[in-house]
Amino acid sequence: MPYRNLGLGLDAPVQILLVTSRETKRWVIPKGNFANHIVPHAAAAQEAEEEAGVRGAVCPTPLGTYRYRKRKGSGASLMADVEVFPLAVTQELRDWKEKNERQRRWFSLAEAAEAVEEPDLRHLIRSFGASEFNNAARSYGVLELVAKTSKVGPMFAWFQRLLPKTGGFFELFEAHAVAVMAAADATGRLLQGGPDMHENAREIYEREHDADQIIREVLKTVRATFLTPFDRSAITSLIGSMDNAIDEMQAAASAIELYEVKEFGQEMKDMAAIIVDSARLVGEAMPLLRNVGANGERLHELTERLVRMEGHADEIHSAGLKNAFQLHREGNALQFIVQREIFKHLERIVDTFEDVANEIDGIVIDHS
């Protein structure tokens, strides 16, 4: 499922790229069969390039599955099961294999859900974006609700000014999540290689600097605020785990530039794609913390997926290290050490996203 974000804000619209099928001309996502020698998510990326002319970071952990009937050459109409992998598009090709056989078009989430025919795919598309959940998170606080229902108006404003300051923690969480998402996108582009690697690394450094400023503001606000939305230790642990993620992204970028690594194996690209999707999920979760009680179920869904992706990343990390060792065991030992160093940072990034998930789960348990 190729997607792109129209901007860096947490409420930035998300678009899905659909293509027409060759026979019926209905709108579908790129898909196809794959040979046993290629892993499913890599096959999905290959289909996206051939059918839709797009490239990017494809997360190896599927969003879900759906079923549809596929007509065979024999005339039989058989059920097919499709695994859906999110692909963060970084490049749109001007020419591609099936350009003359299909149309491609970017849709909003709502438009894409209406355009496809399969009910389960429609549900996956609708649940992909954060906007509908973030809108629910913009709820009234208790005092605001009292004021609204009792129509106290200006009197409430006067009363509110007498209350102790509660800080802008939610805004700071969301601003930090924006920096994490931007750095993760840059990490995904960095591990694609190419001539723009230094620029992508530089963006990671800049985003990490932005995040440092935000976490300093959070810590200062915690000390100065009388009322906090969560336990103070929960606030510092949550923002600290988020900051660890972007710190490790900077460490990975520094190692890549220090050792002048220009090419990356598929396992490293897969871990980078998991990082991109993990940051997207954290970005969706932050606004939902404004109303934990109402959004607890969705927050649990997001953290469950983060934990599942971390487990998948561990498997990829082990396979990548083994392949690197086999490749260099009788040759360049230094090259293996460099690859192990980069794998270490990529694994730590994903581990920190699991830490973020655990912190969110703790808040949900305490406040929902």
Side-chain angles (χ1 to χ4, degrees), residues 112-127:
E114 290 300 318
V116 300
E117 295 182 0
E118 298 82 5
D120 290 340
L121 176 58
R122 185 176 296 131
H123 173 72
L124 284 175
I125 292 173
R126 284 176 174 160
S127 66

Side-chain angles (χ1 to χ4, degrees), residues 147-161:
K148 183 176 178 66
T149 55
S150 61
K151 298 180 173 57
V152 296
M155 178 65 74
F156 172 72
W158 169 82
F159 173 70
Q160 192 175 38
R161 285 195 293 270

Side-chain angles (χ1 to χ4, degrees), residues 6-7 22 26 36 136 170 288 325:
L6 301 181
R22 282 185 290 196
R26 61 191 179 88
N36 291 332
F170 296 119
L288 302 184
F325 177 73

Side-chain angles (χ1 to χ4, degrees), residues 1 14-18 27-29 106-129 132:
M1 189 166 72
V14 176
Q15 290 187 328
I16 303 295
L17 186 68
L18 300 180
W27 290 107
V28 297
I29 60 173
W106 287 102
F107 291 82
S108 68
L109 289 176
E111 292 169 343
E114 290 300 318
V116 300
E117 295 182 0
E118 298 82 5
D120 290 340
L121 176 58
R122 185 176 296 131
H123 173 72
L124 284 175
I125 292 173
R126 284 176 174 160
S127 66
F128 184 74
E132 59 186 278

Side-chain angles (χ1 to χ4, degrees), residues 193-200:
D196 299 324
M197 290 181 60
H198 178 68
E199 291 182 0
N200 291 319

